[in-house]
Structure formats: C-alpha cells, structure tokens
C-alpha cells in the first residue's frame, strides 16, 4: 500500500487509508491522498517510467493509489498520454519563445475529466462498489459514463438541465442513467451527495472524492516526461495556464508536481496560473483579496465547464497557485470566445472553458505577469465538439453560394 493516509486541507487531521472517505468528517475540508514517498522512492525510479511501453495514465501506475483495472483493449487504456503541441504562428503572434499546448481532446470522452474518472472507477472496483454516481456540468459525467460502460458498471449522472446538448448526448449514448436537474450544477452536486448518503452509491464528484485529484495529477507526470525532461533546459522556469471552475484540475496538476518534487525527481515546481471567467470567479476573488475565505458567486459565464457558484476544491486550488508563485487571472466571456478561433490556427479545437486558459495567457502577458522568454504551456482541457453552439458564436458564418465557378470566384477573391 503506497497510501500513507488522507489529510484534510482545512484542519490537517489524518485518516487511515482503508476507509472510504470523501471529505473531512469534522469540517468538510478536501482530503488529499498522501503517498509514502520513502517507500515509493525505493520501489520506482524515473528510468522505470521512461522505459514503460504503456501509453495511457497507467504508465504511472507505480505513483497511483489504485491498481490498473486491466482491460487493455478498452477506453480505460486510452486515457491520458495526450500530445503536446507547438505553434509557430501563435508563439510569434504573442511574442513568445516557447509556447506549448497539451491537448486533452483526444481522451476517450474528449476532455481532461477522463483522467479523474478512470482512477475513481478503479477505486470503485477495488472497494466493490456496485453503482457510481456523479454530478457534473457535463464532462465529468461523460467521462464517468464512458469508462463505467467500458467496465460494465452502472452509472447515474445528475446534470443541470441546460448542459450543452453534445454532452447530454454523450451521457445517454454511453448508457448512463441520466437525470437532468431543474437547477444549477451546484444543485445537482448537493442532490448527488444526499443520494450517496441515502442509497450507498459510490460518489465520483469533483472536489468531493479524493481520488479525482490522483487521476488528474497524471497530466503533471506527462508534462514532466514530455516537456521538462525532453524539451527544456534544466530548471527552466515553466509557466502553466489552467482553466479553473471547482479547482480540482489545478489542485490535481499541483499534486502531480508535488509528488515528483517529494521524490526528488524535479528540483523546482512550475508556476501555476489559474484562469477563471469574470462571470464565475470565486477563487480568483479570494486570491485578489489575499484571503483563504472563498465566497460563493452567482455564476453567469457561457463557459459551462467552469461555471460554478461555490468551488468544491477552492482552498487547495488557491494554495496551489500561491505556493507555486503563480496568479489567478479572470477573463471576460468575450475574450474566451475570441480565443477559440485563435487556437484553431494551431489546429486545436477547444470548448469555451478550455479556450479560457489561452485568453488568460494573453491577459498575463498584458499584465506582465510572466517573462515572454520563459517556456509556457497551456492546458486545453476539452474539445470544441462538446459545445458547437457556443463555438459558432466566435466566428462569422460561412457563405452559401450557387454551385457555379462564377459564384465561387466572387466570394473567394
Ligand atoms: C472541469 C473542466 C474544467 C475545470 O476544472 P475544475 O476542476 O472544475 O477547476 C475546465 N475545462 C474543462 C473542459 C472541464 O471539463
Ligand atoms: Zn478537517
């Protein structure tokens, strides 16, 4: 067992690893899964990992608190190990030396959330859970439904009724029991927890189940292997741009680098920049105010995946940014929409929440928060095919012409 304990982010209390716990029973704080680094560093080395032939998150099995459920030829072994891209066009547009993108759209359900769902489902299998439930704005549910289908585990997804149609379609096609809640994501979240307590289901909710961060941290391991070890000079000051809603992706990425740091495999933590929509900026507000008290907002952004009234992993997300020497940045929906066709010029199709990270990078450059000579990586968390309606608002419509050369000439030249 490589898990030492669960530790509460609020009171610091430690709980034994065998227990099925969600948040701290005393104060509701998020629990971090703490690994036994001394035991780990005797068992595994960077070389073991770099020699692995596995091309999914299970490449990092040795650093994960769950066992690989196997199922080689299923979507479970297509989660993670997503590519990193460069774009000469966008680097020069922004005046940057080294701009990288990590494109998560190639995951089985087309978003970053597959990483968390894979690990939560592996845990569900280990503890003999029979049903998994998740509240979701769409992507976490789609990821859970997809991978639960591959594992033949019943999934129940509670989503707000106004989730984008493509995400609801995914939930239904993957065969989950889909319940649309006449309310916000926050309402669906609270309902799913009440149902977990009443019916004994296993709950995968973001910022509630401690294993989601353990799945999300695999992105940090990939950035380490793909970029830090192979592409950057030693100790290069890497800056990461990450869109933030509940704050669980940024906490997870921080946890991955923290694991590597504790193992002595990196000497320096990257700087993390969290990007929120101005219309859903609870964590950024606390960062700006210099406090650890996070107050709920009334979320209004069109970027549904980061539309959150009360972030469920806010405290750790706040600390991740502060401790790494980064910052929170807020961007208006207008800038988020404009970022979508800009990313298109790098061959990347991002949903609005994912494009927000790029808008955040533009803002950080304007505010001179980063040195344009330093390496930068933007995490593209989800595919634009997830929300075509919103993406189409960012571009002019295509002309419709008669099928003649004359008409074509007229619109082309
Ligand atoms: C969930 C999600 C986010 C935000 O992640 P949090 O853990 O809620 O901060 C960003 N982008 C996409 C595409 C997502 O699905
Ligand atoms: Zn506590």
């Amino acid at each position: 067992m490589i898990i030492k304990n669960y530790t509460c982010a609020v009171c610091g209390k430690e709980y034994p690893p065998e227990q099925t716990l969600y948040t701290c029973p005393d104060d509701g704080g998020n629990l971090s899964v703490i690994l036994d680094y001394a035991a780990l560093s005797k068992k595994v080395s960077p070389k073991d990992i770099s020699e692995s032939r596995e091309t999914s998150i299970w490449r990092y099995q040795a650093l994960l608190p769950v066992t690989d459920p196997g199922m080689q030829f299923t979507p479970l072994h297509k989660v993670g190990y997503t590519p990193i891209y460069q774009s000469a066009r966008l680097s020069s547009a922004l005046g940057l030396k080294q701009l990288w993108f990590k494109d998560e759209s190639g995951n089985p359900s087309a978003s970053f959330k597959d990483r968390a769902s894979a690990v939560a489902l592996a845990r569900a299998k280990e503890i003999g859970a029979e049903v998994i439930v998740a509240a979701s704005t769409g992507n976490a549910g789609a990821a859970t439904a997809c991978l639960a289908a591959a594992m033949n585990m019943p999934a129940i997804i509670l989503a707000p009724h106004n989730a984008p149609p493509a995400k609801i379609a995914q939930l239904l096609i993957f065969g989950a029991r889909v319940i649309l809640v006449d309310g916000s994501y926050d309402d669906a979240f609270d309902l799913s927890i009440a149902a977990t307590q009443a019916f004994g289901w296993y709950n995968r909710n973001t910022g509630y189940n401690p294993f989601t961060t353990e799945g999300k941290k695999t992105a940090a391991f990939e950035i380490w292997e793909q970029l830090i070890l192979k592409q950057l000079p030693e100790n290069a000051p890497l800056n990461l741009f990450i869109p933030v809603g509940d704050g669980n992706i940024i906490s997870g990425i921080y946890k991955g680098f923290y694991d590597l740091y504790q193992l002595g495999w990196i000497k320096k933590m990257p700087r993390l920049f969290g990007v929120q929509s101005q219309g859903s900026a609870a964590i950024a507000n606390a960062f700006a105010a210099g406090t650890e008290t996070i107050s709920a907002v009334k979320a209004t952004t069109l970027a549904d995946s980061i539309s959150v009234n009360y972030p469920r992993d806010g405290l750790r997300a706040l600390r991740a940014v502060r401790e790494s020497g980064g910052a929170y940045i807020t961007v208006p929906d207008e800038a988020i929409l404009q970022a979508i066709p800009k990313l298109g010029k790098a061959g990347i199709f991002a949903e609005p929440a994912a494009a927000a990270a790029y808008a955040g990078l533009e803002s950080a450059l304007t505010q001179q928060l980063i040195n344009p000579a330093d390496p930068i990586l933007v995490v593209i968390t989800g595919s634009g095919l997830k929300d075509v309606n919103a993406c189409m608002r960012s571009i002019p419509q295509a002309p419709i012409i008669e099928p003649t050369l004359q008409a074509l000439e007229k619109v082309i030249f």
Side-chain angles (χ1 to χ4, degrees):
M1 187 60 128
I2 63 157
I3 311 180
K4 221 165 151 182
N5 60 52
Y6 301 102
T7 301
C8 172
V10 174
C11 68
K13 197 167 163 194
E14 297 173 358
Y15 297 93
E18 311 74 46
Q19 255 175 296
T20 297
L21 273 181
Y22 293 106
T23 48
C24 177
D26 286 355
D27 52 32
N30 290 111
L31 297 180
S32 299
V33 177
I34 304 299
L35 305 184
D36 185 344
Y37 294 112
L40 262 181
S41 52
K42 279 189 210 123
K43 252 180 36 195
V44 59
S45 72
K47 191 160 166 278
D48 298 333
I49 289 175
S50 65
E51 284 173 355
S52 166
R53 298 240 203 112
E54 177 64 36
T55 52
S56 74
I57 59 166
W58 303 110
R59 180 180 182 82
Y60 308 104
Q61 159 74 74
L63 305 178
L64 294 177
V66 292
T67 21
D68 174 356
M71 319 190 74
Q72 202 67 35
F73 295 100
T74 70
L76 270 170
H77 272 260
K78 288 302 280 177
V79 177
Y81 216 64
T82 55
I84 55 168
Y85 295 139
Q86 279 189 305
S87 165
R89 213 165 158 187
L90 295 187
S91 305
S92 72
L94 296 179
L96 299 174
K97 282 225 176 84
Q98 284 214 60
L99 174 60
W100 299 86
F101 297 97
K102 186 155 181 63
D103 185 2
E104 292 290 304
S105 65
N107 277 308
S109 78
S111 88
F112 195 104
K113 298 291 196 296
D114 285 324
R115 296 176 185 276
S117 292
V119 168
L121 275 156
R123 173 74 176 178
K125 193 180 166 201
E126 278 178 10
I127 62 170
E130 281 167 4
V131 175
I132 190 157
V133 62
S136 168
T137 62
N139 285 341
T144 305
C146 172
L147 300 171
M151 286 175 72
N152 197 17
M153 185 179 290
I156 298 170
I157 310 298
L158 303 178
H161 67 101
N162 60 354
K167 296 183 183 182
I168 295 176
Q170 282 185 298
L171 299 175
L172 292 166
I173 296 292
F174 291 135
R177 289 287 299 276
V178 183
I179 318 289
L180 299 180
V181 176
D182 187 9
S184 65
Y185 165 59
D186 296 71
D187 295 326
F189 195 103
D190 293 338
L191 179 58
S192 81
I193 289 173
T196 299
Q197 284 158 0
F199 311 132
W201 299 335
Y202 186 61
N203 190 306
R204 175 258 181 246
N205 284 11
T206 294
Y208 184 63
N209 184 318
F211 286 84
T212 60
T213 9
E214 292 297 301
K216 287 170 174 174
K217 77 181 185 182
T218 56
F221 299 160
E222 293 168 21
I223 294 167
W224 168 65
E225 271 201 284
Q226 297 168 323
L227 184 62
I228 298 177
L229 291 180
K230 294 210 182 104
Q231 307 287 342
L232 302 184
E234 216 170 303
N235 293 325
L238 178 61
N239 300 290
L240 302 182
F241 284 79
I242 300 161
V244 174
D246 273 317
N248 196 244
I249 291 182
I250 202 161
S251 303
I253 291 178
Y254 181 85
K255 175 61 161 52
F257 285 110
Y258 179 83
D259 283 354
L260 295 174
Y261 187 79
Q262 291 298 322
L263 289 164
W265 298 359
I266 54 171
K267 296 280 171 284
K268 179 172 172 170
M269 297 286 285
R271 286 171 85 198
L272 304 189
F273 290 85
V275 184
Q276 295 209 282
S277 165
Q278 275 177 4
S280 176
I283 304 176
N285 292 345
F287 180 83
T291 160
E292 281 204 335
T293 308
I294 295 165
S295 311
V297 296
K298 182 86 196 72
T300 55
T301 177
L302 67 77
D304 66 293
S305 300
I306 50 171
S307 180
V308 172
N309 297 341
Y310 184 72
R312 306 291 171 154
D313 202 356
L315 180 59
R316 291 191 303 185
L318 194 55
R319 288 180 184 161
V321 165
R322 284 212 178 109
E323 279 161 28
S324 75
Y328 272 94
I329 295 164
T330 59
V331 290
D333 278 3
E334 200 44 48
I336 292 175
L337 279 180
Q338 284 168 9
I340 296 172
K342 289 179 189 166
L343 286 165
K345 295 199 166 93
I348 292 167
F349 190 16
E351 69 163 271
Y358 187 77
L361 165 60
E362 292 179 316
S363 168
L365 288 165
T366 313
Q367 296 180 63
Q368 301 186 323
L369 296 177
I370 48 174
N371 179 344
D374 290 344
I376 291 157
L377 181 140
V378 181
V379 183
I380 304 296
T381 44
S383 165
L385 293 174
K386 295 269 198 178
D387 191 357
V388 169
N389 287 343
C391 293
M392 290 294 277
R393 286 173 54 186
S394 69
I395 32 155
Q397 282 190 1
I400 299 172
I401 61 162
E402 280 171 30
T404 65
L405 198 54
Q406 228 178 359
L408 179 61
E409 264 187 309
K410 218 164 134 192
V411 293
I412 294 275
F413 299 106

